Structure formats: C-alpha cells, structure tokens
Amino acid sequence: MNTLLKHTYTGAIMLCASTMVSCNNFLDTNPDNRAIIDNEQKVENLLVGAYPDHDHICVAELVSDNMDDYGESNPETDRFCEDTWAWKEEKEQDDGSLESFWQTSLVSISAANEALKAIENMPESSAMQEAKGEALMCRAYNYFMLANMFCMPYDKAKNDTQLGLPYLTEPEVQLSLKYKRGNMTDLYKHIQADIEEGLPFVNGSYYTVPKYHFTKRAAYAFATRFYLFTEQWQKAIDAATLCLGDNPATMLRDWKYMSTLPQNKDAVTNQYINADENANLLLLTSYSNAGLIFGAYRLNSRFSHGGYLAETEDMSASQLWGNYSAFYMTPQVYSATNMDKTIFWKLPYIFEYTDPVAKIGYRHTVYPAFTSDETLLSRAEAYIMLKQYDKACEDMTMWMHAITKSQIVLTPEIVNEFYNNAKYSYSDKDGIESQLKKHLNPSFAIDAEGSTQENMLQAVLTFRRIETMHLGLRWFDIKRYGIEIPRRVMNAEGKPERQLDFLKKDDPRRALQLPIKVIMAGLEGNPR
C-alpha cells in the first residue's frame, strides 16, 4: 500500500483529527483512482496496508521486567526511553512510541474496513473470500494488540467495568464523530467474532511471499493466543494443534542449524526472520529502533537486559536444561563503559537511505508476530491449566530440545523438584534482588504456590520469556499473571542498588496511557 493511500486512510480516522486542517476539501476530492477499490487486485493491494508498519516492541520491552536502569550518569538514553521505562505518560515520540503504534494500528484497521466494504460490493469469488478472511483477521489482530497495550488485562470478573476501545467496523467518512470506549467484554466479543468468521477463509495463497500475510497456520496461531489470553483453554489447544499439525517438531525453529552459520549478527538475524524458516508464521516489517536497542549497539543502552537479569532470571541462569552453555546459540554478552547487555541475536537492523550522501533515512526491522515455537508453548500452558501435565511436558520438552542441546525429558516430577528448590523474587515486596521464580497473581484461579500446577506455570512462563525475548510479548504475560516488578537502578558492578518504584498486581499503569493527542481529540484516557 503506497504512502498516499495510507495517508488517505489516516485522514479518515477521527482519532487523528487533531492533525487535519481542511477536512471538507480533502474528503470532497478523490486523491486518485487508487482510493476507489473496484477489483480484486486493488483489494489485495489494499490489504497490504492492513498490517501495522510501526511496532509495539520497544515500549513493551521497556515497561516489562526485561530491562533495568544502569544509572543517570549513563549518557546512552533519551527522554522517550526514560519515561517509558518508568511507566510515565509519553511526552516525546519516535518510531517506536505509543503514538506511532496507535496511529499505525488505526490506519491498518481502516484499510481492513475499506477492503471489507469493497468486497461487499463485488462479485463473490474464492479470491475475495480469502481476502475477506484476511481483512477480518487483520482487524482482529490490530484490536487485540491495542487492547493488550492500552487496556487492563482480561479479567472475566471485571471486564464489564473495565475500559475497552471503540471497535470500528465501517470505513470512516467524517472527522467529527465522537466515540466512547465501551468495555472489555464488548471489545473481546468483537475480536473473537472477527477471528471465528475470518479463519475458515484465510489462505494467503495469492501472495508471492505468504509469510507476510495471514496464512492458515498464522491465523490458527493468532486464534491460539487469543483463546489462551481469554482463558478458553480447550479452544487454545485445538487451534494450536491445527496450526502445528501432527509433527510439531518439524515446525520449530532450527536453532541447531543457526549455530552452524557464520556467527555474526547479520547472518543470524537474517536467518531468524527468514520467510523460509518453518517457525515463522507471520512476519511484519516496521519503522523501528528495535534492531538497535536489542542488538550489538549502544543506542539507549542505559536501559537494557543486562548480565544480572540474565544470570538470575532467564537466559544465563541455571534452568531445567542446565546452564547457558546448553543453548545452540548462546547469549551474546556486551560489556563496556556504559554498556551491559546480554541478548540473543534476533531482530535485524535495516537502514533505508533516503539520501545516501547525507547518510539519512529510516530505521527498520522485521519481526515474527507469530511463531510455531510460541504457539507450542501456548498449548503447553493451556494443558497446564487443564491439569494435563504429561501433555504439557511433552510440548515443553519439544521446545527445549529445539533450542538447547539438552536430552532431558521433562516430567511433572522433574519440574516440581526443580522449582520447589528455587526462590521467589521480591518476596518482601520491598526487595530488589532477583530470583528464578515470580509470584503469580492471575485473575483466574490456579493452585497454591509449590503445587504441580504452579510449578508447571513457572516453567512455561520462563520458557515463554526466553522464546519471546526482545519481541515485546513478555509484557502481556506479566499483565495476564499479575507479576509484580520493581524499578531498580543498578550500581557500577551491574548489581541492584536502589528501588525507584514498584508495579503492583492491580496497578492502573498496567494499561498504558493513550497518546495525548487521542485524549485531546475526545477519547477517554486510562485512569491514573
């Protein structure tokens, strides 16, 4: 979808109204024939714009427990990162800001709605059925991501009273419309309806590179995540099974092969986002600093996933598979003045020159919105919630054998022994020392701490944390499980020095604040 057409749809959205000056003249004039969608090719082209071209990743990682503050004297920072990490309202923007993410999501929703409206007025065909399915999945996906960033976590007991988001299902032709946010119950009903209506039609066969669109597998992966987040455990299992097929091991990321590549960030990150990699179910491109912030660069390294976090909580800690040396691709450690990073090479840094002489342009990355590995772990989590622990262990073992050289076959007994010997982080609510486990406070019922179910959940959440590291999904798990987080400053040795803040399980800041322009345009902000 070209820039002009995307701006046309941006102008049609009330929530961007504050940037418009002469809307009547704008709406009275067709920019060009690309805004008239009257054949199959134009619908297909339009749906390219139904995928967001800015991401949630930098914000979601910064607000999670994957990042610590390495001190005010560290110059590698900016106001955007400082405010975001501290759960403050956004005052400055960049390509990874909440304002950028909000706008691109609404533009994508508008493109999906335009496509759906055009399809209604066109002769029925298999291609248009596929396009309808894709448009519905795109609309649902964009709203699902907005909900998980800007709303409180899904809670059956509170959904009727928690603020949702306006669910637009028609192309907008006025800029003066006023919307109310509604509640979470209605928002999630709309998302589920779109998923279940669109899923039977999705195929993606008419695209040259289907991995950049919703294919059948990607659609089932999305359905899996949606059902998991909405506590529909059996539906999550069923959707994951349809996504993964009869031999899920062949669908998982080939970390062993990646370890044979030249060990440099470009070779590894390019393979990580390779469309031919079975694990990648839906790839998205974005204007983003993620490839820099979560790569071998100093940009904003004041806030980073450092050695202390890695050694005490995740990738370098002693885990069910052993220590970090068991990984096929061991974590990359960058330690220098004003830099303490322990990362996996995942997201590429791609620079688009607009002026090669002046060396200016745009930063991009490519990231997997859905993978078979995360879908497998989602199924394992759903099995745990249904207390089918042996099946959960099978899935978790499969994931573990794909990413590590471990030959351990997990059982509930092995998981129990390991996690009953582990300690909880922040157990006194004031401490800032990390341990392997986090207290879980979900809105749904789970068994007591130290039980098989709770230990299994600790394991799968740790696996998910490592699988989704640098991709922004840990924040969603923190919200779902009411995991509490201290905001701490690290000392010169890279250890916790002092606590600045503490995000409790019911803290309203778990719903990130809407962009100020959106609130000024009339949409109700999140309570503070």
Side-chain angles (χ1 to χ4, degrees):
M1 189 177 197
N2 66 36
T3 302
L4 176 59
L5 194 54
K6 292 198 77 170
H7 287 174
T8 301
Y9 293 118
T10 305
I13 300 170
M14 177 280 300
L15 299 175
C16 299
S18 59
T19 64
M20 303 302 295
V21 177
S22 180
C23 60
N24 288 336
N25 290 338
F26 176 83
L27 291 171
D28 288 343
T29 306
N30 270 331
D32 59 18
N33 66 351
R34 285 170 290 182
I36 302 173
I37 313 302
D38 56 4
N39 64 47
E40 292 182 358
Q41 186 60 56
K42 289 179 181 178
V43 170
E44 293 170 12
N45 291 342
L46 177 58
L47 283 174
V48 174
Y51 297 87
D53 63 5
H54 290 72
D55 60 60
H56 66 293
I57 293 173
C58 291
V59 169
E61 286 290 312
L62 278 165
V63 296
S64 77
D65 58 355
N66 283 342
M67 308 285 265
D68 279 319
D69 180 1
Y70 281 83
E72 294 178 357
S73 62
N74 189 321
E76 304 296 336
T77 185
D78 59 25
R79 179 70 177 275
F80 165 72
C81 284
E82 291 170 17
D83 287 345
T84 302
W85 179 85
W87 306 307
K88 293 180 180 179
E89 295 181 16
E90 193 171 86
K91 299 180 183 67
E92 295 187 7
Q93 289 77 41
D94 67 10
D95 281 337
S97 68
L98 287 173
E99 182 175 314
S100 296
F101 178 66
W102 176 278
Q103 179 165 318
T104 197
S105 299
L106 268 291
V107 169
S108 299
I109 289 165
S110 185
N113 285 337
E114 289 284 354
L116 289 166
K117 190 67 175 180
I119 291 167
E120 286 181 6
N121 300 318
M122 293 174 62
E124 187 173 330
S125 68
S126 59
M128 287 301 93
Q129 279 191 325
E130 285 188 34
K132 180 180 180 179
E134 183 181 7
L136 289 167
M137 297 302 292
C138 287
R139 184 168 71 187
Y141 172 73
N142 281 285
Y143 271 115
F144 179 77
M145 295 298 291
L146 287 171
N148 278 279
M149 292 295 284
F150 294 104
C151 299
M152 290 297 281
Y154 183 92
D155 183 341
K156 287 181 180 179
K158 297 180 180 178
N159 281 345
D160 288 346
T161 58
Q162 298 279 26
L163 285 173
L165 294 169
Y167 206 90
L168 309 182
T169 59
E170 295 287 337
E172 297 305 306
V173 294
Q174 300 180 57
L175 298 183
S176 60
L177 297 175
K178 297 295 182 182
Y179 296 99
K180 293 184 178 181
R181 289 186 60 173
N183 60 41
M184 290 282 285
T185 298
D186 290 340
L187 175 59
Y188 275 85
K189 281 183 178 178
H190 282 300
I191 295 172
Q192 183 162 340
D194 276 354
I195 291 172
E196 293 179 349
E197 182 182 356
L199 210 160
F201 302 116
V202 173
N203 191 316
S205 61
Y206 49 80
Y207 287 109
T208 305
V209 188
K211 289 289 185 73
Y212 284 85
H213 299 267
F214 270 109
T215 61
K216 186 68 78 177
R217 286 189 188 275
Y220 278 122
F222 176 27
T224 300
R225 191 184 296 171
F226 175 83
Y227 290 134
L228 184 74
F229 283 25
T230 54
E231 304 163 32
Q232 301 179 70
W233 315 121
Q234 189 57 54
K235 284 189 174 183
I237 292 167
D238 294 342
T241 301
L242 287 167
C243 171
L244 298 168
D246 295 331
N247 191 2
T250 64
M251 291 293 298
L252 301 184
R253 190 173 303 282
D254 193 345
W255 289 101
K256 184 177 181 179
Y257 167 72
M258 289 174 67
S259 70
T260 67
L261 297 173
Q263 292 304 288
N264 63 70
K265 61 179 177 58
D266 290 335
V268 174
T269 58
N270 287 336
Q271 177 59 31
Y272 187 83
I273 54 92
N274 192 331
D276 292 329
E277 166 61 62
N278 285 342
N280 292 328
L281 303 180
L282 175 62
L283 295 167
L284 297 179
T285 62
S286 65
Y287 295 88
S288 178
N289 287 324
L292 288 168
I293 294 176
F294 309 115
Y297 304 93
R298 289 185 176 273
L299 182 72
N300 291 320
S301 60
R302 171 179 164 181
F303 303 98
S304 67
H305 181 272
Y308 179 79
L309 260 177
E311 291 162 12
T312 56
E313 295 191 16
D314 48 67
M315 61 178 73
S316 298
S318 177
Q319 299 283 4
L320 283 163
W321 52 80
N323 62 30
Y324 72 94
S325 64
F327 284 110
Y328 281 114
M329 295 288 298
T330 54
Q332 302 298 315
V333 177
Y334 299 94
S335 181
T337 303
N338 296 321
M339 192 175 186
D340 185 339
K341 282 187 177 184
T342 301
I343 61 173
F344 286 123
W345 285 330
K346 288 187 176 180
L347 301 180
Y349 167 48
I350 304 165
F351 194 80
E352 174 194 0
Y353 284 101
T354 55
D355 187 335
V357 177
K359 296 184 178 180
I360 58 175
Y362 298 108
R363 296 164 176 170
H364 297 268
T365 198
V366 179
Y367 65 98
F370 295 100
T371 67
S372 52
D373 300 73
E374 189 254 340
T375 302
L376 182 72
L377 294 177
S378 294
R379 185 171 73 175
E381 183 185 333
Y383 278 137
I384 294 167
M385 290 308 303
L386 296 181
K387 301 190 176 183
Q388 298 178 27
Y389 302 131
D390 289 338
K391 290 182 178 179
C393 282
E394 288 178 13
D395 283 353
M396 292 164 64
T397 298
M398 200 182 309
W399 177 86
M400 188 172 74
H401 287 176
I403 197 171
T404 75
K405 293 170 275 191
S406 171
Q407 297 301 307
I408 295 171
V409 176
L410 296 177
T411 65
E413 292 75 23
I414 290 174
V415 174
N416 272 332
E417 181 180 5
F418 182 83
Y419 279 97
N420 280 331
N421 287 322
K423 296 180 180 179
Y424 288 95
S425 292
Y426 335 127
S427 57
D428 61 356
K429 303 302 182 189
D430 295 316
I432 53 177
E433 296 292 330
S434 287
Q435 301 291 343
L436 199 61
K437 296 191 293 188
K438 302 291 180 78
H439 292 283
L440 306 181
N441 306 285
S443 62
F444 48 88
I446 61 173
D447 291 347
E449 291 185 346
S451 66
T452 298
Q453 186 177 59
E454 195 259 358
N455 285 331
M456 292 286 292
L457 287 171
Q458 293 286 351
V460 79
L461 288 171
T462 297
F463 286 21
R464 285 177 61 84
R465 185 178 188 180
I466 289 171
E467 172 60 33
T468 64
M469 184 69 67
H470 317 318
L471 300 178
L473 294 180
R474 171 64 176 176
W475 175 240
F476 299 172
D477 287 348
I478 286 169
K479 292 177 68 167
R480 292 191 300 128
Y481 279 90
I483 295 171
E484 298 182 326
I485 314 171
R487 275 295 174 246
R488 60 194 180 189
V489 178
M490 313 302 276
N491 62 23
E493 287 73 44
K495 301 294 193 298
E497 181 178 76
R498 68 184 188 277
Q499 180 173 306
L500 302 179
D501 201 351
F502 195 86
L503 191 75
K504 296 184 178 181
K505 61 183 179 181
D506 55 356
D507 196 305
R509 293 175 296 178
R510 289 176 181 267
L512 303 179
Q513 188 57 275
L514 272 58
I516 185 63
K517 290 180 181 179
V518 175
I519 296 173
M520 291 176 64
L523 201 62
E524 181 180 357
N526 288 321
R528 285 292 181 266

